[in-house]
């Protein structure tokens, strides 16, 4: 496919006149063609107007039509073939296997949402039939379903150029809910974005959906994002990225004449607790597994294990030794962008400057690429950690902190002082269960997902997944951005009272023509 | 019961030292004893600390224990007997029958949430069992349930001193979700609040729940509310009241270091569309029914029909004539507070001052009480309405505006210019259906509840009800403050990955010990 650096607005494609954005190969620092002209207010207006115009029609497409559309997007992404993987490798420095896996995940996710749409549980249908004889007052016929919120602005993330980008989780769940989507492409992978964007355009054409269900815009700086979020036709925002970026969007959304929800997945250091019996039995293996998880994707994962909590002991020393050995052996990996690499370096510097951390090990192997991430491991005592907020900040990359606690009470105190997290992990054996029971209430309050005897870096796309958590892990801890429950972010309930059958939406009609699960008179049918 | 003007903090009761608040009998202007000393930061801190301390325990009470508690609150409210009704009559000017009905509704609501808690659908249990043989990667065991957000601040409303106050819908749904509740009593009915607050305290004692699950605070001005909403232990807010009050709370909640959700039900003018065939057939009856609905509770209902939309015709003139006749016959009713009465007078004045409304009729009957609401009806043409925002503002009381449209396109244009609403109503006959179909997408976008051939003033408490709507009807159109779905406002999902059976919450264990509905492997069980 010839990449042309165009904005994709509805089914059209054209060059915008703003300062062009180029991808940078992070391994070489070289600029990659073509340039993507930055779009202005005019293009935002056009995309939003198109999305608004088709919204009523798109949200009422049949379950089948919408499910087919999601499957067609997956097929069109696969049809791009190796070109997609190669362009993504160039733009992100991520290795082939990782990107092929991510493509599989992205298409699998679209197909899962297709199933979700067909099953129709998300409609949350509730029917309270009329009770004309009820005394003192009769009850009217009341029926509830959920409908799409409206056009959604999605901000692609840098670290998952496929799974959290143009046709990633936010887009898939918003389209599944019946919302048109306008994506702001992440400037770090514009070519990958264009390829996927054109695949979505093709799926729209194949499925004969109206132009405007999807648009893809490019623009540097914050202006495009601000213009999108403050456009009155945009009704919700999906974002994965930094805390400063997420809070800026929230502020813009809250200051609108009509505030709108922002689903921002922002920062998390993902504490991992090593319980005494588990540590005693498996110190070396845990140390090795920890560094393997820490090094995944050069640590550029929202669920990267950035914090180890354990009680001082000989076993903890063995764990540290094993981890240190693997840190030193860690091959440096190319980071996603020069900006992320430089933020990683500043993050390490800031930790060191606190004067409170002890460096356990750092990889100093030489690599033949620019923007390399050198895995680094620190230790700190509980008291110092609690008292210094700088140690709580996420350092995006393969960097972690081991907190050495005096005892279990001390460890629990550290957990209570943590901000909200995407995940919290506990390594345990049977002998640890009683003590873990005492930690669980804290972990439940702090995290969206609690893991036992695993590492948080894998995020399964399924019904039960929660990828979200209390502030500041995400802007809205009541939601998840991964898994089928993500669709609920883009829906709102509408109640129909006494509406004649012929005017009711199919989901609510007598006889259940869609065959969806419904709560009728308080009973699940 | 001897009312003593005390704050209720946990199971204690004591006098606060701030400037006392007195209820005013709106019918006479007289002050009613006792005074309720306003509480300060210290009392807020104490109530929040207690709530926080008991939160983990209360949120994990068994479904049975929590359901029994809600039923016991209802029983204790009924046990107050006539004293509650008499005190509420004195403080609000509302008639006995209305308050007796409201008490029934309040207790019925608590009992409905008791059923909801027992059924456990709100847990939204999702289980994806492990797939150890899956290739290329095995899947871990993943289980999701919902847990309570944390302590909730509830702001009592003036217009429903029982159903939207101390033990009203917000409190019932938050307690059902497992959240401790701190109520800020509405200063217009402190005695009614104390009576209900003491009933909740008794229920806590009877059910042997810990002190701190519930507190009731009094205070004038905005200080108490701001202190509550900005306290770091408060995790959500329920509010029913004015737009300015709701947006102030939202702003405070958004500016916290950790923003929290505010569920504010604010303002709505509840458009009612009279379709041509229905109007032609039933103009006079519709006119009479309209005024009956408009006069309910002196128009002090969130769902008061403040806007009639119809097409100019002889039938519309007949409707206006019938309505005008009943407006003139409307007995003036005592409004809830002198402040509400004065806001009603200013609202009428502001409408008149636009110079764009034509007064159709006003009740000028004399009553023997202070703070009387005189029903008032205006007409305006569509163009003037659209162009003047002042005509879109809610005038809280028995005041309505008839918008006379040129044709159906004109009428639809007016609907598109409306802000978000709690309700939208259409009166129609079979001959109107085709035209109504063209309006429905707009109505769905604008309102939380759509009614056919009814009046919006009755709000059924059931599974299918939506009492909420797009901004500014409520702060969060994704939620409802009435009906069983209200419980979802106070919950968030937590995922448990690979957690051993003995450490899992009962809702998620193998064998489904709670017998709740669960989504297992994508199938509803």
């Amino acid at each position: 496919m010839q990449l042309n650096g165009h904005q994709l607005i509805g089914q059209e494609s054209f060059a915008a006149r703003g300062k062009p954005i180029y991808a940078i190969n992070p391994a070489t620092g070289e600029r990659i063609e073509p340039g993507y002209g930055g779009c202005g207010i005019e293009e935002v207006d056009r995309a939003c107007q198109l999305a608004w115009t088709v919204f009523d029609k798109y949200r009422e497409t049949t379950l089948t039509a919408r499910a087919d559309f999601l499957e067609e997007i997956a097929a069109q992404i696969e049809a791009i073939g190796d070109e997609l993987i190669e362009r993504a490798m160039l733009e992100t420095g991520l290795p082939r296997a990782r990107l092929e896996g991510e493509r599989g995940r992205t298409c699998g996710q679209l197909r899962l949402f297709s199933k979700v749409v067909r099953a129709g549980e998300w409609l949350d249908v509730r029917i309270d039939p009329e009770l004309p004889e009820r005394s003192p007052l009769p009850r009217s016929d009341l029926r509830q379903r959920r409908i799409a919120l409206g056009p959604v602005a999605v901000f692609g993330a840098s670290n998952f150029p496929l799974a959290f980008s143009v046709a990633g989780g936010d887009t898939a769940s918003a389209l599944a809910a019946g919302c048109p989507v306008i994506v702001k492409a992440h400037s770090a992978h514009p070519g990958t974005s264009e390829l996927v964007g054109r695949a979505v355009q093709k799926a729209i054409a194949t499925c004969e959906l109206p132009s405007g269900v999807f648009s893809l815009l490019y623009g540097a700086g914050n202006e495009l994002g601000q213009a999108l979020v403050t456009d009155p036709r945009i009704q919700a925002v999906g974002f994965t990225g930094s805390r400063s970026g997420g809070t800026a969007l929230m502020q813009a959304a809250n200051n609108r004449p009509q505030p709108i929800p922002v689903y921002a997945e922002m920062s998390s250091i993902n504490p991992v607790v090593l319980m005494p019996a588990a540590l005693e039995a498996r110190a070396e293996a845990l140390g090795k597994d920890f560094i393997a998880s820490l090094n995944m994707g050069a640590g550029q994962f929202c669920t990267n294990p950035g914090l180890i909590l354990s009680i001082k002991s000989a076993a903890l020393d063995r764990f540290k030794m094993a981890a240190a050995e693997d840190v030193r052996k860690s091959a440096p990996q190319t980071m996603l962008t020069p900006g992320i690499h430089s933020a990683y370096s500043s993050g390490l510097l800031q930790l060191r400057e606190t004067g409170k951390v002890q460096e356990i090990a750092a990889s100093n192997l030489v690599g033949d690429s620019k923007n390399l991430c050198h895995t680094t491991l620190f230790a700190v005592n509980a008291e110092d950690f609690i008292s210094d907020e700088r140690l709580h900040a996420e350092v995006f990359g393969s960097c972690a902190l081991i907190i050495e606690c005096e005892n279990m009470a001390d460890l629990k105190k550290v957990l209570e002082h943590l901000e909200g997290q995407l995940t919290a992990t506990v390594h345990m054996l049977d002998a640890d269960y009683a003590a873990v029971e005492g930690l669980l209430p804290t972990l439940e309050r702090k995290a969206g997902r609690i893991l036992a005897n695993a590492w948080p870096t894998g995020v399964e796309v399924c019904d039960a997944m929660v990828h979200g958590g209390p502030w500041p892990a995400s802007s809205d801890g009541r939601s998840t951005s991964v898994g089928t429950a993500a669709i609920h972010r883009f829906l709102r309930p509408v109640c129909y009272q006494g509406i004649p059958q012929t005017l009711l939406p199919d989901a609510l009609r007598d006889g259940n023509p869609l065959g969806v699960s419904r709560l009728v008179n308080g009973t699940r049918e």
Side-chain angles (χ1 to χ4, degrees), chain A residues 36 93 112 122 266:
Chain A
Y36 287 77
L112 180 60
W122 58 275
M266 299 184 291

Side-chain angles (χ1 to χ4, degrees), chain A residues 200-399:
Chain A
V200 180
Q201 277 190 331
K202 281 186 194 164
I204 288 173
T206 307
C207 296
E208 297 176 352
L209 289 170
S211 172
V213 169
F214 172 84
S215 289
L216 174 63
L217 305 177
Y218 298 83
N222 301 326
E223 273 170 48
L224 168 54
Q226 290 284 323
L228 259 180
V229 173
T230 54
D231 188 284
R233 292 156 293 200
I234 294 294
Q235 294 298 305
V237 177
F239 170 87
T240 300
S242 69
R243 187 160 168 179
S244 59
T247 50
L249 294 181
M250 284 175 73
Q251 198 165 13
N254 288 332
N255 289 339
R256 291 165 48 119
Q258 175 222 4
I260 55 171
V262 173
Y263 300 101
E265 196 259 90
M266 299 184 291
S267 67
S268 185
I269 48 176
N270 304 298
V272 177
V273 179
L274 309 177
M275 296 299 287
L279 189 62
E280 178 62 38
R282 307 188 54 237
E284 289 78 10
L286 285 170
K288 294 181 91 64
D289 292 350
F290 163 46
I291 301 307
S293 175
L294 184 66
N295 281 338
M296 280 186 74
Q300 300 163 120
F301 276 22
C302 332
T303 54
N304 192 49
L307 214 59
I308 300 283
L309 290 87
S310 198
I311 297 169
K312 286 178 187 169
S313 65
L316 181 56
D317 291 337
R318 283 158 46 214
F319 169 85
K320 282 160 65 180
M321 211 133 70
E325 192 185 324
D326 277 19
V327 166
R328 284 186 290 264
K329 286 194 290 196
S330 297
Q333 299 171 72
T334 309
M335 298 194 87
L336 292 158
T337 69
I340 287 175
H341 177 259
S342 110
Y344 179 67
S345 305
S346 321
L348 291 182
L349 194 65
Q350 192 183 353
L351 286 180
R352 288 188 177 110
E353 279 178 353
T354 60
K356 287 171 184 161
V357 297
Q358 177 207 344
E359 185 171 310
I360 294 182
S363 153
N364 53 10
L365 297 178
V366 179
D368 56 357
S369 137
K370 293 196 170 196
N371 299 307
L372 288 173
C373 177
H374 290 91
T375 308
T376 312
L377 185 59
F378 298 100
V380 62
N381 71 53
E383 205 177 321
D384 282 343
F385 179 80
I386 287 174
S387 64
D388 194 331
E389 274 193 11
R390 292 172 297 177
L391 301 174
H392 296 236
E394 181 182 27
V395 177
F396 198 64
S398 295
C399 160

Side-chain angles (χ1 to χ4, degrees), chain A residues 89-172:
Chain A
M89 285 169 68
L90 264 187
E91 292 185 330
T92 65
L94 292 170
R96 172 176 289 276
R98 150 69 197 273
L99 287 166
E100 286 178 348
E102 192 180 327
R103 177 176 59 189
R105 177 198 180 87
T106 307
C107 295
Q109 185 163 259
L110 286 158
R111 293 188 174 111
L112 180 60
F113 275 110
S114 168
K115 272 193 212 163
V116 167
V117 169
R118 279 186 220 281
E121 281 239 349
W122 58 275
L123 288 159
D124 192 15
V125 173
R126 297 152 171 258
I127 299 180
D128 294 305
E130 71 172 333
L131 300 173
E133 312 296 336
R134 192 181 64 174
S135 156
L137 285 172
R139 180 173 80 185
S140 306
D141 180 86
L142 289 149
R143 299 171 190 237
Q144 184 189 128
R145 68 162 177 162
R146 298 204 175 195
I147 71 168
L149 282 181
V152 172
V154 170
F155 290 75
S158 62
N159 61 341
F160 283 85
L162 301 171
F164 284 83
S165 191
V166 176
D170 285 342
T171 298

